[in-house]
Each structure stands twice: as structure tokens, then as C-alpha cells.
Amino acid sequence: QVQLVESGGGSVQAGGSLRLSCAISGYTDSSYCLGWFRQSPGKEREGVAVVDSDGKTKYVDSVKGRFSISHDKVRNTLYLQMNSLKPEDTAMYYCAAEMGRVVCRATLSADLAYRGQGTQVIVSS
């Protein structure tokens, strides 16, 4: 059973930075898609970024140039470095994963099979 545990959320002022972490366990497949998505109250889930087992990264337009996704294969930890944060980035952030050769797109990261419990990010103006 794949398990994901997020950490690193918090409150920052606009323009600040945060790094989210997601400890991943329970998978053995050499092919996978890992990602982050977010959800604000009253809004639909929104994909943010993905990285696949080949190391390819993809981002949605709203975070390109500001967010960076990475996967430390030794520590089995997924990261999301968020810079130049804006109030509209305020949301619960979830990491997600799916094993095997799957379609790995940032816009579809909310549809990956496994997800964590989420970590809250609040950006104040």
C-alpha cells in the first residue's frame, strides 16, 4: 500500500517562500508519476506539478517559474519549492502518486491513485 505524508505548510507573506515535503513509502514499481495538487475552500481541485520516473517535470501555467518539483529517490521524498508566493496560492496542498506507466500531466495530478492528507499553505497580502 502506497502511503504519502506531507509536511512543510504554513503561513507566509506574499513574495515569500515555502518548501513542502512528502514522504512516500510502500511502492516498488520503477515507473511512476508523482505530483502535487491543491484545493481552496469552495473551489475545485487544481493540479500544480508532476515529476515522472524519468525525471521529467511539468507545471500548470499559474505556477511556472515560481514553483519547482523534485523527487529525492534515495530518501523517497517528493518536494515542492514554492517561491514568489501570492495570496491566490493559498490552499490545502496534497501530494499524489500513481505507479506504472501512466499519463503524467500537471493538470491531472489530482486524479492520481494515491494521495496524502494535505498540508495547509496560507499566503497573506
Side-chain angles (χ1 to χ4, degrees):
Q1 180 74 13
V2 177
Q3 292 186 321
L4 305 102
V5 180
E6 303 96 335
S7 61
S11 296
V12 294
Q13 290 195 322
S17 298
L18 280 173
R19 187 174 82 154
L20 306 183
S21 300
C22 175
I24 306 172
S25 61
Y27 75 94
T28 57
D29 203 310
S30 59
S31 298
Y32 48 78
C33 176
L34 308 176
W36 292 92
F37 69 93
R38 63 189 181 186
Q39 188 167 25
S40 302
K43 292 189 178 178
E44 292 189 0
R45 296 175 305 176
E46 178 190 22
V48 174
V50 292
V51 58
D52 65 21
S53 45
D54 294 327
K56 272 190 205 169
T57 59
K58 296 174 188 173
Y59 302 89
V60 295
D61 288 345
S62 59
V63 307
K64 272 181 188 172
R66 300 188 299 123
F67 290 12
S68 177
I69 188 171
S70 60
H71 178 219
D72 185 329
K73 294 184 180 182
V74 174
R75 292 185 171 84
N76 263 352
T77 301
L78 182 69
Y79 299 101
L80 185 69
Q81 178 66 44
M82 305 186 294
N83 299 326
S84 302
L85 282 160
K86 304 175 181 179
E88 50 264 44
D89 294 319
T90 294
M92 186 73 81
Y93 282 72
Y94 301 85
C95 66
E98 189 156 344
M99 305 301 120
R101 284 282 176 192
V102 299
V103 175
C104 197
R105 292 188 192 146
T107 50
L108 299 178
S109 55
D111 297 329
L112 297 175
Y114 301 98
R115 65 193 63 168
Q117 294 300 307
T119 186
Q120 181 71 50
V121 171
I122 298 172
V123 184
S124 57
S125 56

